[in-house]
Amino acid sequence: MSELKSSVIFGRRLVDFSSQKFQMGCAASDTSHSQTKTSSKPVANGVHKDKAEEPKTDGGKTEDERVAVFKQLLMEKLMSIANEPPMKPLQPVEGTERTILVPSIFNCQETLAELNDTGIPTNSNVVVTYLKSGTHWVWELMKMLKKKQAVADGIPKEMGHLEFFPPSVLRKINGSDMPVYATHFPLWCLPKSAYTNSQLVYVYRNPKDVCVSLFYHFQGMSEANPKDFPPLSFDQLFEMFMGPSEANLMGSWFDHVADYWDNHRTNANILCVMYEQLKKDPVTEIKRIDKHIGSGATDELVQEVVDATAFKTLKKTKESSEQHIAFLFKGTMYRKGEVGDWKNYFNDEQSRRLDERLEQWQKERAEPVPLIFEL
């Protein structure tokens, strides 16, 4: 079977893989976005709390009130970009040719400008991942460790995401209750202070399962906004995934993982955690994370966090918070969480091509990146 070389329309942008470049052919969007009204009672261990029992921040706002502020800011952003394409290139570092695709609803330039100016607050904790590599999972467990309470709240992960808003805005939304930030930014996008003054936990996942999870993630984007994001076949998604950073949302998996992995060897502020190893031995890996972020968790708390963040448990307890972003994404962020699901989607040639790409990529590393493709 010959390699699939095609042009794929993603986010109303023409991605031409035959030339390994993308051309932007964006029509103005007149799509109107309607806010989905949902009941957003926070849940703990699968049990909904009563409104009167909702936790409050130092500023006196309940979780529902904080979520409402966040959603209002998102709606205002959507209105401000109504005539812009849904995806755009980001070239944050002056003098470099490196570029990634980002959704227009992100406030990446504002965030990076603030990080360059004031940095992430000193001693902050940040979970960093490529897309579909355990961001929600590790963000939740790190919050539990910092709060010393193994209870999932009703806050969607997006309310801690640096791509949506810079740290100063996220702190205003969340009050002082901002224990962990999350981001998909490649390392080269970030100013050095972002990973020298704070503790980063970088979670990476084998690229074949990432590719499958991305396929379903883009389906959710398409179902929420079909005009902006026409559906992609798995073959098309695979070609995009194998393409260069400028053709991929938040860049290429290969570049993203390589930069953090190569730098963690000489930077004690970056801890690399393998998604599959966290699945296989959560107690050991959560203790590594706890030590890195200095939360001082007891063995009892670690086990409680393991139980509270088990995939099926977390999927159930976070179900209501996912409804807050239903106007951006339909479906669930917690689809399967399995290791080895890629075998149900990859054909032999696709598996071979990715294996060959990985083999060459590993040769470029001073220390090979451990990868697990099935448990």
Side-chain angles (χ1 to χ4, degrees):
M1 185 184 298
S2 60
E3 291 188 6
L4 174 64
K5 296 294 184 181
S6 61
S7 297
V8 177
I9 297 294
F10 179 67
R12 286 189 285 115
R13 294 180 182 275
L14 177 64
V15 181
D16 184 356
F17 296 107
S18 61
S19 65
Q20 295 290 284
K21 296 291 181 182
F22 70 92
Q23 300 171 350
M24 297 166 55
C26 310
S29 170
D30 59 355
T31 305
S32 61
H33 301 269
S34 59
Q35 184 171 358
T36 303
K37 296 182 179 180
T38 63
S39 171
S40 52
K41 293 182 181 180
V43 295
N45 296 329
V47 179
H48 285 267
K49 295 182 180 179
D50 185 78
K51 289 281 185 180
E53 297 177 356
E54 288 183 16
K56 295 187 177 183
T57 65
D58 292 350
K61 290 182 180 179
T62 65
E63 286 182 355
D64 275 3
E65 289 170 335
R66 291 154 61 193
V67 169
V69 171
F70 178 73
K71 290 172 71 174
Q72 180 60 36
L73 290 173
L74 278 186
M75 295 308 297
E76 291 173 0
K77 175 67 175 180
L78 281 172
M79 292 176 65
S80 72
I81 62 173
N83 294 320
E84 296 182 15
M87 303 283 287
K88 60 185 179 182
L90 177 69
Q91 193 172 22
V93 181
E94 187 175 353
T96 181
E97 294 183 358
R98 301 181 78 171
T99 307
I100 59 175
L101 278 179
V102 298
S104 294
I105 194 172
F106 281 179
N107 286 286
C108 292
Q109 295 289 12
E110 292 86 342
T111 291
L112 292 173
E114 182 174 307
L115 293 180
N116 274 299
D117 185 33
T118 61
I120 295 177
T122 302
N123 298 323
S124 292
N125 299 289
V126 188
V127 55
V128 188
T129 68
Y130 187 68
L131 304 172
K132 312 311 297 176
S133 298
T135 324
H136 291 74
W137 181 22
V138 179
W139 186 69
E140 293 292 341
L141 70 83
M142 285 176 63
K143 286 195 301 175
M144 292 178 188
L145 290 172
K146 294 299 292 185
K147 293 180 178 181
K148 300 186 184 305
Q149 186 177 19
V151 177
D153 57 31
I155 300 298
K157 183 261 300 179
E158 288 70 22
M159 285 177 60
H161 228 293
L162 292 171
E163 283 87 330
F164 278 97
F165 296 106
S168 59
V169 176
L170 294 177
R171 290 197 301 276
K172 287 179 181 178
I173 296 171
N174 292 282
S176 61
D177 191 19
M178 195 66 243
V180 184
Y181 296 97
T183 185
H184 294 310
F185 277 127
L187 184 67
W188 63 269
C189 288
L190 299 174
K192 191 173 182 180
S193 61
Y195 51 93
T196 55
N197 298 333
S198 56
Q199 301 302 314
L200 272 61
V201 175
Y202 184 72
V203 187
Y204 70 94
R205 185 182 188 186
N206 85 70
K208 293 183 179 180
D209 280 328
V210 169
C211 190
V212 171
S213 191
L214 273 174
F215 170 63
Y216 281 98
H217 185 78
F218 291 151
Q219 277 193 347
M221 293 169 63
S222 180
E223 289 175 13
N225 296 285
K227 186 173 181 180
D228 285 349
F229 300 103
L232 297 176
S233 68
F234 181 75
D235 288 348
Q236 290 173 319
L237 188 281
F238 175 79
E239 293 301 328
M240 179 184 294
F241 187 80
M242 295 290 283
S245 277
E246 62 261 33
N248 274 278
L249 188 61
M250 303 310 295
S252 159
W253 178 93
F254 299 92
D255 293 344
H256 203 285
V257 175
D259 282 350
Y260 281 98
W261 177 260
D262 292 347
N263 278 275
H264 98 282
R265 300 174 65 251
T266 56
N267 190 325
N269 292 70
I270 303 175
L271 175 71
C272 284
V273 175
M274 191 197 317
Y275 178 98
E276 293 80 8
Q277 193 64 31
L278 185 58
K279 292 277 290 185
K280 182 180 179 180
D281 188 1
V283 170
T284 299
E285 294 304 298
I286 290 176
K287 284 184 176 180
R288 289 181 65 222
I289 294 171
D290 169 66
K291 181 179 180 180
H292 185 69
I293 65 178
S295 47
T298 63
D299 289 347
E300 181 181 9
L301 177 59
V302 168
Q303 186 58 56
E304 290 174 354
V305 171
V306 170
D307 296 338
T309 58
F311 186 82
K312 290 182 179 179
T313 302
L314 201 58
K315 181 175 182 176
K316 183 177 181 181
T317 56
K318 298 299 290 187
E319 185 177 9
S320 64
S321 68
E322 288 193 328
Q323 298 305 310
H324 299 309
I325 59 168
F327 59 96
L328 298 176
F329 176 89
K330 287 187 178 180
T332 178
M333 295 291 183
Y334 301 87
R335 189 181 66 88
K336 282 188 176 181
E338 295 179 355
V339 179
D341 192 37
W342 63 269
K343 290 181 289 186
N344 298 316
Y345 297 86
F346 275 64
N347 61 39
D348 290 343
E349 184 186 4
Q350 289 168 338
S351 184
R352 176 192 60 76
R353 286 176 57 195
L354 204 152
D355 287 344
E356 290 177 353
R357 175 85 176 272
L358 277 174
E359 183 179 3
Q360 179 58 41
W361 178 79
Q362 291 281 31
K363 290 178 180 178
E364 297 167 359
R365 314 271 72 77
E367 179 184 346
V369 181
L371 291 170
I372 294 177
F373 290 90
E374 56 184 308
L375 291 177

